[in-house]
């Protein structure tokens, strides 16, 4: 049986060491636990250790887990592909969406976000690996969507999300992540108040931290291999 607490502890230790190695300030990198395909039991172990932020890719799976874990004060992030008929559920149930890619969806989320809820925190997903099968805006499209979101009071643009290609070495991971980091810096320079660079997964957290990530999305390094894979 895998010991979730020691895995999370190990992740924090790695984050601290890598942050020091790359001259990042302590606590500048957050750990988001990707719980898709993982059991309630494992998630409860993470909660018992103190983890409060969790990310999911599939809406029904996420809603089921929220219900089963309702007794805990958890923050849920959606990181998967959003079908536009799911906009209402995302707007009503999540604190964050990392995979926003269209103005149409942004407008729908804004319309469905309930009064009285905090604005939905959003990141724009950018295709930095340039693979045809990967989701995401082209770099050249990012600024226009960021500008459109300004007019939507129930969305708070926090930053950018990207994934490096799977089978590449450290230098190439850094090159791809740095495309996102540069785009982020460009937007900040233009006055956007952004604080979140969502990049880095279990296999490329070193390169992500080296390249300026502020939020790692870590699944298997915490929970082990996924039990159910959907979609
Ligand atoms: C599944 C997933 C992750 C986590 O991947 P691991 O390899 O399990 O760390 C991170 N980000 C996104 C967008 C994912 O879909």
């Amino acid at each position: 049986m895998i010991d979730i607490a020691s895995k999370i502890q190990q992740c924090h230790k790695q984050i601290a060491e890598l942050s020091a190695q790359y001259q990042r300030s302590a606590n500048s990198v957050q750990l988001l636990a990707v719980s898709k395909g993982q059991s309630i039991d494992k998630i409860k172990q993470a909660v018992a250790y103190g983890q409060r932020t969790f990310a999911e890719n599939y809406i029904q799976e996420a809603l089921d887990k929220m219900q089963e874990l309702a007794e805990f004060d958890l923050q849920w992030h959606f990181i998967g592909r959003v079908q536009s008929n799911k906009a209402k559920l995302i707007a009503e149930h999540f604190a964050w969406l990392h995979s926003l890619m269209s103005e149409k969806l942004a407008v729908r989320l804004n319309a469905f976000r309930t009064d009285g809820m905090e604005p939905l925190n959003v990141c724009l997903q950018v295709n930095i690996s340039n693979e045809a099968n990967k989701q995401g805006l082209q770099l050249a499209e990012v600024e226009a969507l960021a500008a459109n979101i300004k007019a939507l009071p129930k969305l708070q643009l926090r930053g950018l999300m990207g994934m490096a290609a799977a089978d590449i070495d450290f230098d190439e991971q850094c090159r791809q992540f740095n495309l996102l980091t540069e785009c982020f810096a460009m937007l900040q320079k233009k006055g956007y108040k952004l604080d979140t660079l969502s990049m880095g997964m279990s296999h490329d957290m070193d390169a992500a931290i080296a390249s300026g990530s502020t939020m790692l999305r870590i699944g298997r390094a915490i929970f082990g291999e996924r039990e159910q894979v959907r979609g």
Side-chain angles (χ1 to χ4, degrees):
M1 220 187 80
I2 123 166
D3 178 358
I4 305 293
S6 70
K7 291 284 189 184
I8 297 176
Q9 199 172 18
Q10 178 70 27
C11 282
H12 283 303
K13 185 162 171 270
Q14 250 179 298
I15 291 170
E17 285 171 2
L18 290 164
S19 298
Q21 183 181 339
Y22 296 111
Q23 281 95 47
R24 304 281 311 274
S25 64
N27 304 322
S28 64
V29 188
Q30 295 179 50
L31 177 62
L32 177 59
V34 178
S35 48
K36 67 160 179 265
Q38 306 290 353
S39 68
I40 293 290
D41 176 62
K42 283 183 174 177
I43 300 171
K44 279 186 175 167
Q45 289 182 51
V47 173
Y49 184 72
Q51 182 70 31
R52 288 290 175 270
T53 56
F54 292 89
E56 290 283 338
N57 291 57
Y58 306 105
I59 186 79
Q60 193 53 51
E61 179 183 348
L63 295 178
D64 291 346
K65 286 175 178 166
M66 285 177 192
Q67 198 162 27
E68 289 196 67
L69 298 162
E71 69 194 279
F72 305 106
D73 183 23
L74 306 179
Q75 187 186 68
W76 293 94
H77 295 228
F78 197 84
I79 61 173
R81 185 188 296 231
V82 186
Q83 297 159 281
S84 75
N85 63 346
K86 298 288 158 48
K88 185 167 189 283
L89 291 171
I90 301 279
E92 289 176 348
H93 294 279
F94 286 84
W96 284 70
L97 172 66
H98 292 233
S99 44
L100 182 57
M101 300 184 301
S102 79
E103 187 187 3
K104 182 170 165 239
L105 178 62
V107 168
R108 288 174 66 85
L109 292 165
N110 185 69
F112 286 126
R113 188 75 169 171
T114 323
D115 289 335
M117 280 180 100
E118 296 283 303
L120 178 66
N121 297 295
V122 296
C123 292
L124 304 184
Q125 183 172 350
V126 185
N127 184 350
I128 49 174
S129 67
N130 238 333
E131 297 164 293
N133 63 341
K134 281 284 169 63
Q135 295 278 300
L137 298 163
Q138 297 300 307
L139 285 162
E141 299 171 323
V142 173
E143 194 182 345
L145 183 51
N148 289 335
I149 291 173
K150 276 189 185 167
L152 304 173
K154 291 176 185 168
L155 300 190
Q156 180 70 49
L157 181 62
R158 298 293 295 267
L160 304 177
M161 187 271 255
M163 280 182 275
D167 299 315
I168 52 177
D169 66 14
F170 178 85
D171 289 343
E172 180 61 14
Q173 288 170 351
C174 288
R175 190 193 66 78
Q176 295 187 1
F177 283 141
N178 278 317
L179 296 172
L180 201 65
T181 305
E182 284 163 22
C183 183
F184 184 76
M186 176 275 289
L187 291 173
Q188 284 180 319
K189 215 165 156 184
K190 295 198 171 180
Y192 290 90
K193 300 221 178 331
L194 307 180
D195 59 10
T196 303
L197 255 178
S198 169
M199 55 188 198
M201 305 164 49
S202 296
H203 70 281
D204 55 18
M205 62 185 278
D206 299 31
I209 292 173
S211 308
S213 170
T214 69
M215 200 181 282
L216 300 166
R217 306 179 312 273
I218 305 293
R220 288 170 295 177
I222 294 175
F223 297 109
E225 288 303 317
R226 288 180 263 282
E227 288 159 24
Q228 329 123 13
V229 179
R230 306 194 192 187

